C-alpha cells in the first residue's frame, strides 16, 4: 500500500518541491492549504503536479481542523512546513507569527500524541534560531541559539517543543535546521528573488532601480530542490534526530547582486557609502541598485554559515547545486518569463 504523507504549507516553495519529491517516491500526498480569496497553488501548477496532490483545508491557528485531519488521515508522515516565514514582517506581526509558528506546531504535536502516535513528524526549523554573530566561524547542532526576531524565537519554541515530544512521549519527531534555500519558486519578498526580479525588470521592462536594505549580512544559500530530499531522509532513519542542512559557504547580499548583475547582462560598479551606496551599470551609466533604510530590520542576523558534517556523515547527504549555479537558474527562469 502507498505511504500517506501530509505536507502543511503545500502552497509554499518547499511544500511544492517536497510534494514533487514524495510523488516520485510513490507516496499518496495530501497538502494542507488555508483558504485565501486569491487561491495560491501556482507553484504546484508550475511543477505540473496540481492534480496529483489531494488538498485539505488546513489552518494552523485552528485546533479543531488540525485534530480532525490528523485523526482521520492516520498519515505515515507529517511534514510541518507551514509558517509565517518572512523574518521582516515578523517584527510587525509578532503575536500572529508566534501563534502560527510556535503554537501551530504544538497543535499538530498534540493531535499526533492523542490520535496518531505512529505518525512520523518533520519540523521545519531554521538557521535564524542561531542569530549568527559577526565573529562566529559556523553554526552546527551544538551551537548556541540566540534568536534575533519574533520569527526566530517562534521557530525556537517549535524546535524545542518537538524535542520535548520526542523525548517525553516517544514520538518520532525530527527537526531539520535548514539554512536559507532559494529557487525560482521563492516568494517575491525574500532578498534573492527580489534581486533577480528587480534586475530583470530594469533590463527587460525599463524598471526603476532596485531598492534593498543591509547588503553586508552574510547567508549560506542552497537550492530548495536539493533540500527537500533530506526532510524525507530524516524520517527514514531508525532513530529520530535533528540535523543542520546547509552548503557550508557564506556570501553577502552584495556578492549575490554582483553575480546576478553579470548573468543578466549588466556591468556593476558600486560607489558611495552607507545609505548613499549605489550600484551603477557601467554599460548604460544608469543606477541599478540603491539602499533604502526601510528594508533594514530592527535586529539583524549578521552571519550564517552552516556546518553540515552530521548530515553528510549520518544521512550521506551533500548539496548538489553551487552558489553560482543557484543564481544562474533563478535568473534564467526569470529571463524566460520576459522572453515568453
Ligand atoms: P513559504 O514559501 O513562505 O511557505 C509558507 C507556507 O505556510 C505557505 O504555504 C503558507 O500558505 C503557509 N501558511 C502560512 N500561514 C499559515 C496558516 N496560518 N495556516 C496554514 N498555512 C499557513 O515558506 P518556505 O520557504 O517554503 O519554507 C517552508 C518552511 O521552512 C517554513 O516553515 C519556513 O519557516 C521554514 N524555513 C524556510 C527556509 C528557507 O530558506 N526557505 C529556511 C529554514 C526554514 P499561504 O500560501 O496561504 O500563505
Ligand atoms: O533576508 C537582507 C536581510 O528575507 C536575507 C526565510 O526563508 O531564511 C529566510 O530568512 C538577508 C537579511 O531571508 C533586503 O536583512 C537586504 O539579512 O531573504 P531574506 P532571511 O531573513 O534570511 C531563513 C533561514 C528562514 O528561516 C526564513 O523563513 O537579506 N536584506 N535587503 C533584505 N532582505 C529582504 N527580504 N529584502 C531586502 O530588500
Amino acid at each position: 500500500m502507498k505511504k500517506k504523507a501530509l505536507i502543511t504549507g503545500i502552497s509554499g516553495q518547499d511544500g511544492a518541491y517536497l510534494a514533487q519529491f514524495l510523488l516520485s517516491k510513490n507516496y499518496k500526498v495530501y497538502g494542507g492549504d488555508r483558504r485565501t480569496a486569491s487561491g495560491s497553488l501556482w507553484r504546484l501548477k508550475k511543477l505540473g503536479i496540481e492534480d496529483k496532490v489531494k488538498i485539505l483545508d488546513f489552518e494552523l491557528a485552528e485546533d479543531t481542523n488540525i485534530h480532525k485531519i490528523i485523526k482521520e488521515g492516520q498519515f505515515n508522515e507529517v511534514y510541518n512546513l507551514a509558517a509565517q516565514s518572512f523574518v521582516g514582517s515578523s517584527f510587525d506581526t509578532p503575536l500572529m507569527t508566534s501563534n502560527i509558528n510556535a503554537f501551530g506546531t504544538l497543535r499538530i504535536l498534540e493531535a499526533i500524541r492523542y490520535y496518531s502516535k505512529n505518525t512520523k513528524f518533520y519540523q521545519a526549523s531554521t538557521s535564524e534560531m542561531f542569530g549568527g554573530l559577526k565573529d562566529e566561524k559556523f553554526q552546527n547542532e551544538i551551537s548556541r541559539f540566540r534568536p534575533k526576531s519574533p520569527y526566530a524565537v517562534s521557530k525556537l519554541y517549535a524546535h524545542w517543543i518537538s524535542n520535548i515530544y520526542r523525548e517525553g512521549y516517544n514520538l518520532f519527531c525530527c527537526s531539520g535546521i535548514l539554512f536559507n534555500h532559494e529557487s525560482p519558486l521563492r516568494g517575491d519578498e525574500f532578498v534573492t528573488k527580489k534581486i533577480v526580479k528587480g534586475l530583470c525588470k530594469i533590463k527587460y521592462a525599463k524598471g526603476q532601480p532596485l531598492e534593498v536594505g543591509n547588503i553586508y549580512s552574510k547567508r549560506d544559500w542552497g537550492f530548495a530542490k536539493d533540500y527537500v530530499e533530506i526532510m524525507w531522509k530524516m524520517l527514514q532513519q531508525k532513530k529520530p534526530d535533528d540535523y543542520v542542512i546547509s552548503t557550508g559557504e557564506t556570501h553577502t547580499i552584495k556578492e549575490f547582486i554582483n553575480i546576478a548583475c553579470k548573468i543578466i547582462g549588466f556591468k556593476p560598479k558600486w560607489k558611495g557609502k552607507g545609505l548613499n551606496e549605489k550600484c551603477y551599470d557601467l554599460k548604460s551609466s544608469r543606477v541599478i541598485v540603491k539602499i533604502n533604510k526601510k528594508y533594514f530590520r530592527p535586529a539583524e542576523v549578521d552571519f550564517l554559515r552552516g556546518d553540515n558534517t552530521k548530515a553528510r556523515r549520518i544521512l550521506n547527504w551533500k548539496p548538489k547545486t553551487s552558489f553560482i549555479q543557484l543564481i544562474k537558474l533563478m535568473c534564467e527562469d526569470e529571463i524566460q518569463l520576459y522572453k515568453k
Side-chain angles (χ1 to χ4, degrees):
M1 219 168 59
K2 279 188 172 189
K3 276 190 178 177
K4 288 166 69 177
L6 169 67
I7 303 173
T8 76
I10 193 77
S11 60
Q13 169 189 259
D14 292 7
Y17 282 126
L18 180 62
Q20 185 185 45
F21 176 77
L22 293 178
L23 287 168
S24 79
K25 291 273 172 204
N26 207 25
Y27 274 68
K28 173 93 187 126
V29 178
Y30 295 79
D33 186 38
R34 59 179 168 165
R35 199 204 79 84
T36 54
S38 51
S40 57
L41 297 174
W42 65 269
R43 292 179 173 96
L44 297 183
K45 288 195 186 114
K46 186 159 167 148
L47 298 181
I49 56 170
E50 77 273 27
D51 298 331
K52 301 196 173 106
V53 175
K54 173 129 179 58
I55 299 298
L56 304 173
D57 279 336
F58 182 89
E59 168 55 63
L60 267 178
E62 181 66 51
D63 303 26
T64 48
N65 85 131
I66 292 177
H67 284 214
K68 182 169 172 283
I69 286 173
I70 298 290
K71 193 173 178 184
E72 287 175 3
Q74 295 296 313
F75 304 103
N76 300 90
E77 295 164 14
V78 170
Y79 296 85
N80 182 31
L81 308 187
Q84 190 303 91
S85 75
F86 189 46
V87 175
S89 62
S90 77
F91 289 98
D92 299 322
T93 60
L95 292 173
M96 186 272 270
T97 300
S98 305
N99 187 18
I100 301 308
N101 297 1
F103 295 135
T105 305
L106 178 57
R107 290 181 185 104
I108 300 177
L109 287 168
E110 275 289 270
I112 292 177
R113 174 161 92 94
Y114 279 108
Y115 305 121
S116 192
K117 259 202 125 178
N118 293 323
T119 297
K120 294 180 175 179
F121 177 75
Y122 174 86
Q123 172 56 22
S125 287
T126 165
S127 50
E128 282 294 298
M129 301 186 309
F130 295 120
L133 302 176
K134 277 195 176 103
D135 55 0
E136 259 175 344
K137 286 208 169 69
F138 55 76
Q139 295 90 13
N140 64 20
E141 292 80 2
I142 54 170
S143 299
R144 222 179 107 186
F145 294 126
R146 300 181 203 85
K148 294 253 189 78
S149 64
Y151 168 78
V153 82
S154 71
K155 281 287 186 174
L156 187 54
Y157 177 96
H159 182 77
W160 280 132
I161 202 75
S162 304
N163 266 256
I164 290 167
Y165 275 56
R166 176 166 77 211
E167 283 165 25
Y169 301 121
N170 212 16
L171 297 186
F172 197 105
C173 301
C174 298
S175 294
I177 308 176
L178 270 54
F179 282 59
N180 298 52
H181 45 280
E182 319 292 313
S183 74
L185 301 187
R186 190 54 145 151
D188 289 350
E189 68 276 42
F190 298 95
V191 78
T192 55
K193 190 67 184 291
K194 181 175 165 180
I195 293 166
V196 169
K197 255 186 122 76
L199 292 176
C200 283
K201 203 166 176 191
I202 300 171
K203 182 80 184 168
Y204 296 103
K206 299 198 175 102
Q208 293 298 308
L210 168 70
E211 293 191 351
V212 292
N214 177 9
I215 54 172
Y216 293 102
S217 62
K218 288 186 145 188
R219 290 291 181 276
D220 177 331
W221 278 297
F223 179 32
K225 203 173 168 185
D226 291 350
Y227 282 27
V228 293
E229 180 185 344
I230 202 71
M231 300 175 183
W232 170 79
K233 247 187 174 173
M234 283 180 212
L235 296 195
Q236 312 315 309
Q237 302 306 300
K238 283 213 176 82
K239 279 166 76 184
D241 206 347
D242 304 332
Y243 298 88
V244 159
I245 304 300
S246 65
T247 68
E249 272 184 38
T250 189
H251 300 274
T252 59
I253 318 302
K254 193 169 175 177
E255 281 174 78
F256 191 106
I257 295 176
N258 286 337
I259 295 172
C261 277
K262 287 177 193 156
I263 294 169
I264 293 165
F266 294 115
K267 204 168 174 202
K269 171 91 186 155
W270 291 85
K271 290 182 190 163
K273 281 218 164 98
L275 292 177
N276 294 319
E277 192 166 4
K278 290 187 181 69
C279 180
Y280 293 81
D281 169 34
L282 290 184
K283 289 185 185 168
S284 62
S285 307
R286 274 183 306 175
V287 174
I288 49 177
V289 187
K290 286 180 181 173
I291 308 298
N292 187 329
K293 220 168 130 185
K294 91 171 179 205
Y295 296 111
F296 283 75
R297 294 173 181 174
E300 179 63 282
V301 172
D302 288 310
F303 177 89
L304 289 173
R305 179 177 165 221
D307 165 18
N308 58 23
T309 309
K310 182 174 169 185
R312 281 181 187 259
R313 189 168 48 83
I314 299 177
L315 304 177
N316 194 22
W317 176 86
K318 59 174 186 219
K320 299 185 194 109
T321 311
S322 72
F323 179 58
I324 292 180
Q325 283 168 336
L326 169 67
I327 304 176
K328 209 164 169 224
L329 67 89
M330 289 180 76
C331 290
E332 280 167 0
D333 183 82
E334 193 66 25
I335 292 168
Q336 276 309 312
L337 297 179
Y338 287 95
K339 293 207 167 147
K340 268 185 202 157

